[in-house]
Amino acid sequence: MDATSSIIISVFSTSSGSGKTVTAINLAAGLAEEGYRTCLVDLDLQFGDVMGYLDMVSDFTIADAQRAILRNTNVAIQLFRYCRRQGRSMMLI
């Protein structure tokens, strides 16, 4: 992948307990180990717990994204630009 291209991968399911979080974390970690720059975004409105699994604190929350939507900004573009500024070329949602 060249420096100007990006890929968005979405991990989703309509049922709880199906392994979405673990799959997304492992996918992001595996891609990072292969040298890809990754940005993992947890958009689970009810049980978003990626940061808990990784024992980290987030810079932004889904509530920040909702406020951005209410201000009529394009959240996907904002998240993408944030990831790019952080040196990430891949976003997992």
Side-chain angles (χ1 to χ4, degrees):
M1 180 181 331
D2 64 42
T4 60
S5 65
S6 298
I7 297 173
I8 297 175
I9 299 172
S10 179
V11 178
F12 67 94
S13 174
T14 58
S15 62
S16 61
S18 60
K20 299 177 293 287
T21 300
V22 172
T23 299
I25 290 171
N26 286 322
L27 182 58
L31 289 167
E33 283 183 359
E34 292 295 316
Y36 292 95
R37 295 178 297 176
T38 63
C39 179
L40 179 59
V41 180
D42 188 347
L43 296 177
D44 188 328
L45 297 174
Q46 189 173 11
F47 299 111
D49 53 2
V50 165
M51 300 307 283
Y53 273 82
L54 299 175
D55 195 26
M56 298 172 71
V57 177
S58 178
D59 293 334
F60 299 103
T61 67
I62 194 66
D64 296 321
Q66 182 179 10
R67 280 190 288 276
I69 290 170
L70 293 174
R71 289 190 312 262
N72 294 320
T73 59
N74 189 323
V75 175
I77 289 174
Q78 297 301 321
L79 286 171
F80 175 76
R81 287 181 179 159
Y82 173 76
C83 288
R84 294 295 291 198
R85 283 194 307 273
Q86 300 299 314
R88 308 313 195 250
S89 60
M90 190 171 298
M91 181 188 309
L92 295 125
I93 301 175

